[in-house]
Amino acid sequence: MSDFRLPDELVPVDGRFGCGPSKIRAEQVAHLVKHSHLLGTSHRQKPVRDLVGRVRSGLAELYRLPAGYEVVLGNGGSTAFWDAAAFSLIERRSAHLSFGEFGHKFVTAAGAPWLQSPAVVVGEPGTVSAFTGGEEADVFAFPHNETSTGAMAAVRRQGPRDSLTVVDATSAAGGVNIDVSETDVYYFAPQKNFASDGGLWFALMSPAAIERIERIAASDRYIPEFLSLSVAVDNSRLDQTLNTPAIATLLLMEAQIRWMLDSGGLAWADARTRESSGMVYSWAEKHPNATPFVTNPDHRSQVVATIDFDDSVNAATVSAMLRANGIVDIDPYRKLGRNQLRIATFTAVEPTDVSRLLGAIDAAIAAL
Ligand SMILES: *Cc1c(COP(=O)(O)O)cnc(C)c1O
């Protein structure tokens, strides 16, 4: 077992199947090297601002942004965005779907002392919960893709007309096609389908969201500058961030957005992640020892496939055997505590590599 060696034909060309940080393509790194003269230069000067501008307009094109929507960005990743939302987006009270770790983390951030305690519809891990209609809130929030469980929700407007629909798209954006007009804020960090390093957040914001942000900024609520979405909107309009961004991340992201656009845009990315995840789910359904963790096929994520194993297969051992052969980060979300493998089928991952991975898992199980 410890000297388990995969036959060459089962070794993926790229063994990175982690859910974030995730596979960064060699072409992105080449783009980074080609533009390395931007590294170590001022983010207040035109060359870096032009780069930020290209990332913003690239996202607008990828998402066919409706009139009046804006691409806003800032430092701190999606985790910082939750706190920014508590300061700048939620007026009195938020309502949440919480069916995994990430949805739950936004609930915690929205428990800020200046807000009424959030209305939460909790769902079991592996399911997708739904608003009941009884929630009184001005923000309705849910994760598009719950990365900790591999359950994916439909992106639809929620709540009454004057409320905002705020969607955590961190692991879905760039891999799942949606209609942005069904949301007011569709936010994400770039270390998943956008195959970049972490540290930034991006948000596609509707005119109603920006109006809300400006109204709260004009109120007497205390808002730290770093977590002010009004400050982020103002800076983004100038193709800047409040404080220094990671320029390398922006270059990696630019290359990934260009690749997606040149390949056929979001519809293409959507078809590709469906193809990859579809292979994983049909393999698991036929496997004598495996089953997809998410039982409702409509809620199975096309970008994060979670597969449970019966007691005869120790998934952690399989993962360790594959890691020794260059296949990395297919362990389940640490707090879920299941006998499971979790496979990212992000846009950057080659479907042919997913096919090899499944063969590699079979080979590891046979060698147990
Ligand atoms: C990865 C992830 C996050 C956390 O992103 P950070 O940039 O590390 O804060 C939040 N939500 C979802 C759905 C994620 O997949």
Side-chain angles (χ1 to χ4, degrees):
M1 201 163 68
S2 59
D3 50 14
F4 171 71
R5 281 290 159 265
L6 271 180
D8 285 349
E9 68 274 15
L10 293 182
V11 179
V13 174
D14 197 302
R16 290 173 287 183
F17 295 95
C19 290
S22 63
K23 177 187 170 187
I24 296 176
R25 292 175 311 113
E27 293 80 0
Q28 294 174 267
V29 178
H31 181 80
L32 175 62
V33 171
K34 186 174 165 201
H35 296 272
S36 59
H37 54 276
L38 287 184
L39 303 179
T41 72
S42 171
H43 57 295
R44 304 289 175 217
Q45 297 298 322
K46 192 171 183 313
V48 174
R49 288 173 62 180
D50 285 351
L51 167 64
V52 173
R54 290 194 298 276
V55 168
R56 291 181 68 230
S57 61
L59 285 173
E61 188 182 343
L62 190 67
Y63 276 92
R64 306 167 304 270
L65 224 53
Y69 276 64
E70 297 186 40
V71 180
V72 181
L73 72 159
N75 279 309
S78 294
T79 301
F81 191 85
W82 293 323
D83 287 325
F87 277 108
S88 288
L89 215 46
I90 305 168
E91 199 147 25
R92 293 175 310 279
R93 189 184 196 208
S94 53
H96 301 254
L97 301 184
S98 173
F99 46 89
E101 264 319 299
F102 292 107
H104 173 72
K105 286 179 184 205
F106 191 10
V107 173
T108 306
W114 57 91
L115 300 172
Q116 294 169 27
S117 59
V120 188
V121 186
V122 176
E124 284 301 311
T127 68
V128 171
S129 52
F131 292 111
T132 61
E135 302 84 6
E136 288 194 11
D138 51 76
V139 158
F140 284 74
F142 60 94
H144 184 182
N145 186 70
E146 179 48 80
T147 320
S148 67
T149 66
M152 194 168 93
V155 174
R156 297 262 178 283
R157 278 195 177 279
Q158 303 291 333
R161 250 183 112 62
D162 55 350
S163 65
L164 300 177
T165 299
V166 176
V167 179
D168 179 356
T170 306
S171 58
V176 185
N177 203 3
I178 60 137
D179 175 0
V180 181
S181 70
E182 291 285 337
T183 72
D184 292 293
V185 181
Y186 191 74
Y187 66 93
F188 50 90
Q191 68 272 22
K192 316 234 167 156
N193 284 288
F194 288 106
S196 308
D197 271 331
L200 290 168
W201 57 259
F202 293 84
L204 312 179
M205 291 187 180
S206 73
I210 291 169
E211 192 265 335
R212 171 80 65 87
I213 287 166
E214 284 168 355
R215 183 148 40 86
I216 295 177
S219 74
D220 54 10
R221 179 183 291 175
Y222 165 74
I223 304 177
E225 193 179 31
F226 182 69
L227 295 171
S228 165
L229 292 179
S230 164
V231 169
V233 168
D234 290 347
N235 275 286
S236 299
R237 285 174 176 164
L238 300 171
D239 292 329
Q240 296 191 79
T241 44
L242 168 69
N243 60 326
T244 319
I247 295 170
T249 304
L250 288 163
L251 283 167
L252 293 172
M253 184 150 180
E254 174 185 29
Q256 185 73 346
I257 294 170
R258 253 298 32 107
W259 176 64
M260 288 173 176
L261 288 171
D262 291 346
S263 304
L266 216 44
W268 166 82
D270 186 276
R272 185 167 154 104
T273 60
R274 269 181 205 280
E275 179 189 353
S276 290
S277 56
M279 282 192 270
V280 180
Y281 293 125
S282 35
W283 168 86
E285 280 178 329
K286 289 191 209 103
H287 200 286
N289 310 109
T291 39
F293 171 48
V294 177
T295 49
N296 181 345
D298 293 341
H299 292 159
R300 281 179 197 158
S301 168
Q302 68 195 76
V303 282
V304 174
T306 44
I307 305 300
D308 275 355
F309 289 87
D310 66 25
D311 290 345
S312 67
V313 172
N314 184 324
T317 305
V318 170
S319 171
M321 290 163 77
L322 294 180
R323 178 169 278 276
N325 284 268
I327 294 173
V328 302
D329 299 340
I330 57 172
D331 316 273
Y333 188 75
R334 58 194 186 285
K335 287 193 205 154
L336 200 57
R338 297 188 74 88
N339 187 30
Q340 182 178 92
L341 295 177
R342 181 177 63 151
I343 300 161
T345 52
F346 291 154
T347 308
V349 173
E350 292 295 331
T352 49
D353 273 351
V354 174
S355 164
R356 285 178 175 220
L357 168 66
L358 297 173
I361 296 172
D362 280 334
I365 292 173
L368 277 174

